[in-house]
Amino acid sequence: MSIEPKLYRGMRDYLPQDMLSREKMLEKVRETFRRWGYAPLATPAIEFKEILTGKYGDMADRLIYDLKHKSGLALRYDLTVPLARVVAMYPNDFPTPFKRYQIQEVWRAERAQPRQGRFREFLQCDVDIVGSDSPVADAEIIALSVQLLAELGFPNAVTRVNHRSLLRGLMEISKIPPEREIEVCRIIDKLDKVGKTGIYEELLTGGYPQKCVDTLFDIILCSGENRELLDFVEDRYSDNERIIGGIKNLREVLKLVSDFGIPSDLLKVDLSLSRGLDYYTGTIFESANAEQPHIGSLTGGGRYDDLIGIFSGKQIPAVGITIGLDRILAALKDAGKLEERTTSTRVLVTVFDEKLFPDSIGLATELRKAGIPSEVYLETRKLKQQFSYADKLGIPFVAVIGEDEKKKGVIALKDMKTGEQENLTAREIIELAK
RNA sequence: GUGGGUGUAGCUCAGCUGGUUAGAGCGCCUGACUGUGGAUCAGGAGGUUCGGGGGUUCAAAUCCCCUCACCCACCCCA
């Protein structure tokens, strides 16, 4: 009687063919962050529940994994709140501004949907700037994420941007009470999915006066080239401070992002973008690949000037973004752009017979010393099987040292792609397999 | 949480107006090829018998009920 091997929904095993591309991607990501001067940080998987709850919103609070094992503990839901906790906990250990990146798992108790890249456990990758309220910080975060996205295989991913205070201003004008803002935001956020008549009806059935809804619609349905759109809204609502402030800030950020060398058509002002998390206060942004609408957002973030204050007592501004690495991987896989290798080995050194093991092992050692990923076949099976092994794993070269080769002092090297084989020295192999 | 779909060999699936030993393709193993893969050809293994439980029937993978798992959509987001 055996136990059925199974996995909780939304959890995944990463088999070698997945892990090789995953690790490669992670190396690229980490390298990019360091190139921009960000410092790494790690925090525990488990936090006190009170640290996490009440920061994300009612909806999200329900998705926090509660640890039944000991009361008062929970699994982290994102990396932003832990960052806020850390900054408040060690006030003297960080420079200002503090730029950090963090790549760790987070857990969300929601319904998983693997093909859309939605999991209960997934790798989040956050970059944040703490301690600066300059629009340059917002712009840098956006520019960094757009550039990284391009490097990871999504050069055309569009980042939609909006501003919380602009949204709040619009709510004021539409006479929507502050406590219902978030609810309204969630509804209008669905604009591109449900369509305008869909959300119009949802708002009406939600009990909002038609007049309010109409006013709101007048604004959020506006679209157009970024600058024109902002000009238009500014012009029309020039008496609302929040709107004017939001627009001014947004304009600065957009300008700065282009100073970072980001093509302006990759950024799109979208007045219906709201983002579900409560803690955002200023710019908000979210990116997706237009060619894969079913995948969902690839990155998302914004400015959260009040979050750290909850822990530290004094207000410390911050802005950051999450890069959805697991989702990016899922999107690449979905698009068939993921090269799936199952090994990093470049040369398989076959073993002719027991007596020649030292020769084969010696060759592999020499190759490794030269930086060529190599492995020795571990048993004296037929060459046929050894070659077949190389073929299955996609190893590009196979080396054979038999009696003949040993006598001549050469190694037979077969190029598995072309099928050609020639006798070479170890040094020649190193050159070839590099 | 709500709605829909699927569940048969390792994988993708066919079989489903109920009827003898449940099939195909791919994969896997062996050999032709006794120092060499990927092609071809010839064999072969593999299903506790059709997710699990119950029911109808002389007889069920096939019909009915329940259950579980997975997938899709919604919700929400990375």
Side-chain angles (χ1 to χ4, degrees):
Chain A
M1 197 49 193
S2 59
I3 299 167
E4 187 198 349
K6 56 182 180 182
L7 218 44
Y8 179 54
R9 188 191 175 117
M11 302 287 152
R12 290 166 299 160
D13 290 317
Y14 300 97
L15 303 184
Q17 56 266 42
D18 305 316
M19 278 309 276
L20 281 170
S21 40
R22 197 166 136 100
E23 288 188 341
K24 205 166 147 193
M25 173 177 277
L26 281 172
E27 279 160 30
K28 195 182 275 177
V29 170
R30 279 193 254 265
E31 190 276 316
T32 302
F33 291 154
R34 289 197 207 106
R35 189 151 30 99
W36 285 66
Y38 286 70
L41 175 77
T43 64
I46 298 173
E47 294 272 359
F48 286 113
K49 215 171 13 181
E50 74 215 46
I51 300 285
L52 305 182
T53 52
K55 318 293 184 301
Y56 306 110
D58 296 342
M59 285 283 214
D61 272 4
R62 267 179 277 144
L63 301 180
I64 296 173
Y65 271 110
D66 199 333
L67 254 44
K68 298 283 183 234
H69 182 68
K70 186 173 183 354
S71 66
L73 298 178
L75 289 173
R76 69 170 165 248
Y77 179 85
D78 74 351
L79 302 178
T80 308
V81 168
L83 168 68
R85 197 211 80 226
V86 164
V87 168
M89 234 171 124
Y90 315 97
N92 302 319
D93 286 306
F94 304 111
T96 303
F98 170 49
K99 309 203 291 181
R100 77 89 234 236
Y101 71 89
Q102 183 170 356
I103 303 174
Q104 288 189 282
E105 312 282 347
V106 302
W107 294 269
R108 294 186 184 179
E110 64 189 328
R111 198 140 183 87
Q113 209 112 90
R115 256 199 70 228
Q116 296 177 5
R118 243 170 84 196
F119 311 98
R120 287 183 171 138
E121 174 185 76
F122 60 96
L123 199 60
Q124 261 203 344
C125 164
D126 277 34
V127 239
D128 293 81
I129 299 175
V130 174
S132 167
D133 57 9
S134 162
V136 181
D138 300 66
E140 173 163 313
I141 289 290
I142 293 173
L144 171 50
S145 69
V146 171
Q147 200 209 60
L148 185 55
L149 226 37
E151 277 177 44
L152 296 180
F154 298 93
N156 302 318
V158 170
T159 301
R160 293 180 298 142
V161 295
N162 199 3
H163 201 283
R164 270 282 159 91
S165 89
L166 175 52
L167 270 174
R168 294 205 55 194
L170 298 179
M171 298 291 172
E172 277 175 11
I173 285 172
S174 309
K175 306 244 172 356
I176 286 162
E179 67 273 14
R180 304 201 70 172
E181 270 177 27
I182 290 170
E183 185 189 344
V184 173
C185 280
R186 287 221 180 86
I187 296 174
I188 61 174
D189 195 46
K190 289 187 276 184
L191 178 65
D192 49 344
K193 269 188 188 166
V194 186
K196 54 185 170 183
T197 51
I199 60 172
Y200 191 79
E201 271 158 36
E202 195 172 341
L203 286 167
L204 287 182
T205 53
Y208 298 96
Q210 183 154 9
K211 215 181 193 171
C212 299
V213 178
D214 285 339
T215 310
L216 191 63
F217 262 60
D218 264 0
I219 308 156
I220 61 166
L221 286 184
C222 293
S223 63
E225 193 267 327
N226 294 342
R227 194 169 311 169
E228 288 168 18
L229 178 59
L230 292 177
D231 286 350
F232 174 78
V233 176
E234 182 178 50
D235 211 51
R236 190 150 170 193
Y237 303 100
S238 55
D239 54 339
N240 185 292
E241 258 176 57
R242 292 190 197 282
I243 292 182
I244 297 308
I247 285 179
K248 186 171 169 255
N249 189 232
L250 217 43
R251 254 206 282 262
E252 273 180 283
V253 171
L254 287 175
K255 201 252 162 208
L256 286 160
V257 171
S258 75
D259 289 342
F260 275 94
I262 303 300
S264 59
D265 57 335
L266 293 183
L267 287 194
K268 190 169 183 341
V269 174
D270 182 344
L271 300 177
S272 72
L273 174 71
S274 66
R275 310 230 358 109
L277 301 178
D278 278 7
Y279 52 63
Y280 292 120
T281 54
T283 50
I284 47 181
F285 28 85
E286 189 171 307
S287 75
N289 181 20
E291 289 139 44
Q292 295 168 289
H294 59 286
I295 295 281
S297 56
L298 300 176
T299 69
R303 176 166 280 284
Y304 47 100
D305 287 345
D306 299 332
L307 178 62
I308 298 168
I310 296 176
F311 299 109
S312 81
K314 64 176 177 182
Q315 203 228 27
I316 299 176
V319 59
I321 193 165
T322 294
I323 318 273
L325 291 183
D326 271 330
R327 187 165 282 177
I328 286 169
L329 235 21
L332 284 172
K333 195 168 188 171
D334 177 78
K337 284 189 209 159
L338 213 59
E339 58 160 319
E340 290 196 351
R341 284 206 297 150
T342 48
T343 181
S344 50
T345 300
R346 296 279 301 158
V347 180
L348 173 74
V349 182
T350 59
V351 176
F352 199 77
D353 60 34
E354 294 279 335
K355 275 180 294 194
L356 290 166
F357 252 122
D359 302 85
S360 293
I361 292 171
L363 174 61
T365 303
E366 200 176 338
L367 293 176
R368 283 187 207 114
K369 272 186 189 155
I372 312 273
S374 312
E375 64 178 294
V376 178
Y377 197 81
L378 298 173
E379 298 178 44
T380 53
R381 295 235 182 88
K382 290 178 188 165
L383 280 181
K384 185 187 173 98
Q385 280 168 311
Q386 304 192 39
F387 270 83
S388 172
Y389 171 82
D391 184 54
K392 263 176 227 159
L393 288 177
I395 298 172
F397 297 101
V398 176
V400 179
I401 307 175
E403 299 292 352
D404 298 350
E405 286 80 11
K406 191 174 182 182
K407 249 180 259 167
K408 288 186 207 152
V410 295
I411 299 139
L413 188 79
K414 181 160 182 172
D415 181 328
M416 295 295 276
K417 205 162 185 177
T418 63
E420 282 163 29
Q421 180 169 321
E422 53 184 333
N423 288 338
L424 301 170
T425 63
R427 191 166 306 155
E428 287 169 324
I429 292 176
I430 289 165
E431 277 310 308
L432 200 71
K434 243 179 208 166

